[in-house]
Structure formats: structure tokens, C-alpha cells
């Protein structure tokens, strides 16, 4: 009985993710799991790098410069 | 040939610029933290009166929307020995609120390079914190030893040791060790720290067993300063990111600070001086999109 069930469903729920589709599914679950510490750390590291880039490249503005005449 | 360099011969002068003092360990992230706005809620009135060149008192009335309203009285005494515009010794600070809770600090310069500090905090009649610091400031290094809540009868203490060394005029490396002891339990945590100071930016990193704290401060020009922070706590399994900026407009007597962080919070504080009166008006608002919470406040600072 157990052998018949195993033969009928070779990709059962206990099997490891196979191929590109399985890898993509596990990557999607990792990226959307808000309770995962490593995932949150990676996201915040990326945000930190983006924040540093913004600080170095987009903040050199003159607030008192006259507005351009249309 | 004999001893050419006798015992009294002077040493050759060091090449290059002096390394400079690395400052205090607690101030490693100060420049970045000063860019971020302070949380504001309710209405606050602060009146500061300078009674003499040594003595100043401050009255603070806070009408809160989140908790009970309070009144605080602060008295500050500074002595004659002034090392810099922001450092004078001895300094005595006392702060008491309407519930009787006290916060007191005493700072004293024991020798040319040795400073001591004592901090006492009480919650009404009960002592919560008693802490003693000793700091040695060399030409290119700083060493600090702190005793937190030492209890000889109970056998408990918290010991914190800091050390910072200027490796180059721009690079500072150091570390912190925290040792705590209670009856039946003791432990220690080591944290390494590094700070790199460039002409327009400062990057600081603390890494230890308990987590990491990274900050980046950038001074774009005379008007705009930006701070970026990342904190990771392995014990609580939490990480946070924050982006803050400060806009200075001295021609308009305005300073604006804004904040955006990974907890889905957005906030800003606007400070406006009202010359010729010695009055500063501050307006602040903070919104947490995730928790759907909003609070705002304003304060008037006189003196």
C-alpha cells in the first residue's frame, strides 16, 4: 500500500524542490517571509547600500538657489 | 665606535601629521544620530534662564497625549576650567521631575588627561542607576572604564571597558568589553569598532556577538546633511534601517530634520527661531504606516 502511494505520487510533499521551478518557489518564499532574520538582514543591507548611494550622489542641492524662470 | 646615540640624545621627530584624539566610544555614531529628528508628542514648554556665567536653570512643562503630563526642573553648574567651547570642568547637572525622580551627573577633570564621571538616577525614592566612569585621553588613544550599579553586598556589578586608537589621522579602531556578574551568573560580550573619517563623510561600524551597528554620515554642503543607519540584533533577531536628513537654512532661521525607516515610519521636525526674541518653535509629526499610528507635537523653547 505504501509502495503504491509512493509510485502514484513521485513528487510528494516530503520531496525536496526540484529543478528551476522549485528553486524559484523557495527563493520567493524566502524573499516574502517577514519573520526570517537572514531575509530581513539582507533586505536592510540592500536598503543601507541604497541609502549610502543616495547620500553620496543625490544630496548636493542648493536649497536657496532661485527657481528657474519658465 | 662607542654609543653615538647617548642616553640623553633627543628622538627624531615623527613624520606626518598628528593622529588626533579619537574621542569617546559613546560618540562614535554621534554625527549620524544628530541628523535624525527626535520623537515629539504633545505640547512642551522649555524655559532656560542663565543666572550667571557658571549657573543655569531650566523649567520644562510637558503636556503629553500618550502618558501623564509632567514638570521637570534642571540646574547646571559649570566650573572655571574650560577645555573647549563644549567642555568645562567641574560640571554638575541635576534634573528632577514632579514625581520626585532624580537624574544627577558630576563630571570632573582629575588630571590633564584623566576625567571622571558619576551618574545617579532614582525613580522617586529608589535608586535605579549608580555609575562611575574613569577616562584617560591620550594624544591618539582613549581608554575608559565604567562601573555600573556596583553592589558589594549583593555581589553584582556591570563592568564596561572601552579602548579606541587612532591608526591614521582618518582611521580609528577599537573595542568594547561588557562584563556582568550576578549571584549564580556571569558573562562577557566583546564588540569591535571602527570609524573612518573623510573630508565630507564618516563611516562607523560596531560588530560583536550581540549584533552589528553601521552608520554613514554625509555632509553634502552647508545646507544638507544625510545619515544612514543599520542595526542588527542577533539576540532579538531584529534588524532595522533608517535614513535621515537635515536641512539648514540659516537665512530663514530654519532647521528641518526628516526620517524614514524600515518599520514603515516617516517623520519630520521643523525648528524655527524667532529673532529678535530668544524663542525657538518646533513642530513635529510622525506616522507609522504599518501600525497605522500618528502622533504630532510642538514645543516652545525660550532662552
Amino acid at each position: 500500500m505504501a509502495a503504491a502511494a509512493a509510485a502514484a505520487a513521485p513528487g510528494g510533499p516530503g520531496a525536496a524542490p526540484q529543478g528551476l521551478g522549485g528553486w524559484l518557489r523557495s527563493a520567493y518564499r524566502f524573499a516574502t517571509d517577514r519573520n526570517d532574520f537572514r531575509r530581513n538582514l539582507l533586505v536592510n543591507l540592500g536598503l543601507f547600500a541604497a541609502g549610502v548611494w543616495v547620500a553620496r550622489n543625490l544630496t548636493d542641492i542648493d536649497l536657496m538657489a532661485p527657481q528657474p524662470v519658465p | 665606535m662607542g654609543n653615538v646615540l647617548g642616553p640623553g640624545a633627543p628622538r627624531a621627530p615623527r613624520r606626518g601629521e598628528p593622529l588626533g584624539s579619537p574621542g569617546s566610544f559613546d560618540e562614535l555614531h554621534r554625527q549620524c544620530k544628530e541628523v535624525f529628528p527626535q520623537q515629539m508628542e504633545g505640547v512642551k514648554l522649555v524655559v532656560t534662564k542663565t543666572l550667571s556665567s557658571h549657573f543655569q536653570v531650566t523649567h520644562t512643562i510637558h503636556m503629553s497625549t500618550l502618558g501623564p503630563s509632567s514638570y521637570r526642573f534642571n540646574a547646571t553648574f559649570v566650573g572655571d576650567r574650560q577645555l573647549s567651547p563644549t567642555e568645562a570642568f567641574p560640571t554638575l547637572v541635576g534634573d528632577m521631575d514632579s514625581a520626585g525622580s532624580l537624574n544627577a551627573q558630576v563630571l570632573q577633570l582629575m588630571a590633564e588627561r584623566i576625567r571622571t564621571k558619576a551618574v545617579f538616577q532614582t525613580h522617586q525614592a529608589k535608586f535605579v542607576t549608580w555609575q562611575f566612569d574613569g577616562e584617560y585621553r591620550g594624544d591618539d588613544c582613549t581608554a575608559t572604564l565604567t562601573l555600573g550599579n556596583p553592589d558589594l553586598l549583593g555581589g553584582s556589578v556591570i563592568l564596561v571597558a572601552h579602548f579606541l586608537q587612532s591608526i591614521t589621522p582618518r582611521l580609528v579602531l577599537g573595542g568594547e568589553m561588557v562584563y556582568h556578574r550576578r549571584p549564580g551568573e556571569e558573562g562577557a560580550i566583546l564588540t569591535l569598532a571602527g570609524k573612518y573619517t573623510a573630508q565630507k563623510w564618516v563611516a562607523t561600524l560596531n560588530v560583536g556577538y550581540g549584533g552589528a551597528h553601521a552608520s554613514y554620515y554625509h555632509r553634502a554642503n552647508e545646507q544638507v546633511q544625510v545619515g544612514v543607519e543599520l542595526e542588527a540584533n542577533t539576540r532579538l533577531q531584529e534588524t532595522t534601517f533608517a535614513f535621515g536628513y537635515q536641512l539648514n537654512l540659516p537665512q530663514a532661521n530654519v532647521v528641518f530634520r526628516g526620517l524614514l525607516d524600515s518599520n514603515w515610519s516617516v517623520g519630520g521636525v521643523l525648528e524655527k527661531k524667532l529673532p529678535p526674541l530668544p524663542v525657538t518653535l518646533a513642530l513635529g509629526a510622525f506616522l507609522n504606516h504599518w501600525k497605522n499610528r500618528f502622533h504630532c507635537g510642538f514645543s516652545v523653547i525660550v532662552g
Side-chain angles (χ1 to χ4, degrees):
Chain A
M1 191 177 184
Q18 296 178 3
L20 182 62
W23 186 90
L24 287 173
R25 272 192 293 274
S26 69
Y28 175 78
R29 274 198 300 269
F30 175 77
T32 53
D33 183 7
R34 290 198 178 101
N35 293 323
D36 191 297
F37 174 69
R38 282 181 305 166
R39 175 261 181 190
N40 290 339
L41 181 61
L42 281 174
V43 168
N44 284 318
L45 266 175
L47 288 172
F48 182 80
V52 171
W53 182 86
V54 167
R56 292 177 69 84
N57 293 287
L58 296 182
T59 56
D60 195 6
I61 51 179
D62 184 1
L63 298 170
M64 298 299 288
Q67 292 196 3
V69 178
Chain B
M1 191 170 176
N3 191 7
V4 176
L5 295 176
R11 293 175 67 181
R14 277 190 183 178
R15 291 185 198 169
E17 52 192 298
L19 295 176
S21 174
S24 166
F25 191 94
D26 296 331
E27 296 186 344
L28 281 176
H29 298 272
R30 181 182 58 85
Q31 272 177 304
C32 180
K33 285 202 176 293
E34 282 180 349
V35 168
F36 290 86
Q38 298 295 314
Q39 291 277 341
M40 285 182 66
E41 58 85 17
V43 176
K44 189 182 275 190
L45 171 66
V46 180
V47 179
T48 299
K49 180 73 178 170
T50 300
L51 301 177
S52 75
S53 59
H54 296 284
F55 199 59
Q56 172 183 289
V57 296
T58 303
H59 304 272
T60 304
I61 298 173
H62 183 204
M63 286 170 277
S64 171
T65 55
L66 299 177
S69 300
S70 65
Y71 162 77
R72 302 186 76 91
F73 175 77
N74 178 294
T76 302
F77 171 84
V78 293
D80 289 325
R81 190 154 186 195
Q82 187 153 13
L83 295 187
S84 72
T86 55
E87 288 180 316
F89 295 97
T91 297
L92 288 82
V93 180
D95 191 290
M96 181 169 273
D97 67 7
S98 49
S101 299
L102 171 71
N103 188 332
Q105 293 189 29
V106 179
L107 293 90
Q108 175 64 290
L109 193 69
M110 305 301 288
E112 189 67 35
R113 296 172 185 262
I114 300 176
R115 305 162 184 220
T116 56
K117 182 168 79 170
V119 176
F120 302 95
Q121 283 182 342
T122 72
H123 178 68
Q124 295 177 353
K126 184 184 171 192
F127 272 87
V128 174
T129 300
W130 54 103
Q131 177 180 306
F132 307 96
D133 287 10
E135 181 181 276
Y136 171 82
R137 283 212 183 182
D139 289 333
D140 58 2
C141 69
T142 304
T144 309
L145 188 65
T146 302
L147 275 177
N149 291 23
D151 185 351
L152 295 175
L153 296 177
S156 66
V157 70
I158 300 173
L159 197 71
V160 183
H162 294 144
F163 183 75
L164 289 176
Q165 174 71 54
S166 294
I167 308 298
T168 71
R170 295 190 171 193
L171 178 66
V172 171
L173 295 177
E176 170 189 64
M177 194 193 73
V178 179
Y179 169 78
H180 71 272
R181 181 191 172 95
R182 278 190 304 194
E185 177 195 354
E186 65 178 341
I189 298 176
L190 178 67
T191 303
L192 302 177
K195 178 178 175 182
Y196 187 86
T197 305
Q199 193 176 7
K200 282 191 163 188
W201 55 272
V202 178
T204 310
L205 175 66
N206 289 21
V207 177
Y209 181 74
H213 182 191
S215 70
Y216 178 81
Y217 165 83
H218 190 96
R219 187 180 187 89
N221 51 40
E222 291 298 319
Q223 299 168 348
V224 180
Q225 299 169 62
V226 178
V228 190
E229 258 193 332
L230 170 70
E231 288 193 64
N233 191 321
T234 52
R235 193 170 58 87
L236 299 176
Q237 295 282 292
E238 285 179 354
T239 60
T240 54
F241 155 81
F243 180 89
Y245 60 94
Q246 178 175 327
L247 309 177
N248 291 333
L249 292 174
Q251 299 92 327
N253 293 308
V254 162
V255 175
F256 179 81
R257 293 183 175 89
L259 160 76
L260 171 72
D261 70 16
S262 58
N263 295 324
W264 298 88
S265 290
V266 177
V269 172
L270 176 79
E271 291 179 9
K272 166 95 176 154
K273 291 185 181 172
L274 305 174
L277 301 172
V279 176
T280 302
L281 178 67
L283 305 168
F286 293 84
L287 172 60
N288 187 319
H289 291 278
W290 186 255
K291 295 179 183 173
N292 206 18
R293 282 186 200 157
F294 170 79
H295 59 88
C296 64
F298 80 87
S299 66
V300 176
I301 302 162
V302 180

